[in-house]
Amino acid sequence: MFRKALNLHDVPSQKVHSAVSEQALAPTKVLIVDDDPSIRRMIMAALRREGYAFSEAANGKEALDVMRRERPQIVVLDLMMPIVSGWDVLRERAGDPELQSIPVIIVSANRGPELAWAVDKGICAFLPKPFDINALSSLVRSCIAPEPTQGLAR
């Protein structure tokens, strides 16, 4: 399984939230992007138990609009979609400094060699379809968890 940690040193601290620690203020917003509504519903149902809030997008164009407008804390992205693909979302994200700070987990049946390109574009994780929903929950938690403090400033 592909796994590349997001470099959290480049992410402004206010953009990185834990669903548990921020739940009292506002739940962590997850953008679910898949052209299959049943997959979006399944992901939302599973992650809702952990206290996340959601936005949905059925294609990459909608995803980019939501990313710019709502600034979700994390995106769960399919690659093969109509209108604008997940590949196009990753390309657009790579060229936009504000979108680069949003962690992305790819959930896709695509297991081709071009996934190495996606890893180079700074994705947080890849989960092949069909996927274990518990594995996705763990990846979401690890991709949005703040980096442990190295020491206290005095």
Side-chain angles (χ1 to χ4, degrees), residues 15-125:
K15 296 274 188 189
V16 181
H17 297 287
S18 165
V20 174
S21 65
E22 295 292 319
Q23 201 166 11
L25 300 173
T28 298
K29 177 71 77 87
V30 179
L31 172 57
I32 309 297
V33 187
D34 199 298
D35 57 322
D36 185 336
S38 64
I39 291 177
R40 291 195 311 267
R41 283 192 302 271
M42 178 187 65
I43 293 171
M44 286 188 293
L47 295 179
R48 188 170 283 119
R49 290 178 286 195
E50 297 191 31
Y52 298 109
F54 301 95
S55 292
E56 297 180 61
N59 59 62
K61 180 183 181 325
E62 291 177 11
L64 290 166
D65 290 344
V66 172
M67 289 170 74
R68 289 186 173 109
R69 185 177 63 246
E70 297 182 18
R71 300 281 187 227
Q73 280 79 32
I74 191 162
V75 176
V76 177
L77 178 69
D78 186 21
L79 293 175
M80 306 307 291
M81 296 179 293
I83 304 173
V84 174
S85 73
W87 297 110
D88 294 327
V89 170
L90 292 174
R91 274 192 270 297
E92 185 78 19
R93 177 182 167 269
D96 185 329
E98 290 190 26
L99 297 183
Q100 287 174 9
S101 66
I102 302 172
V104 174
I105 297 173
I106 292 177
V107 178
S108 180
N110 187 323
R111 294 184 177 119
E114 55 280 335
L115 283 173
W117 178 86
V119 170
D120 286 340
K121 293 300 178 197
I123 66 163
C124 184

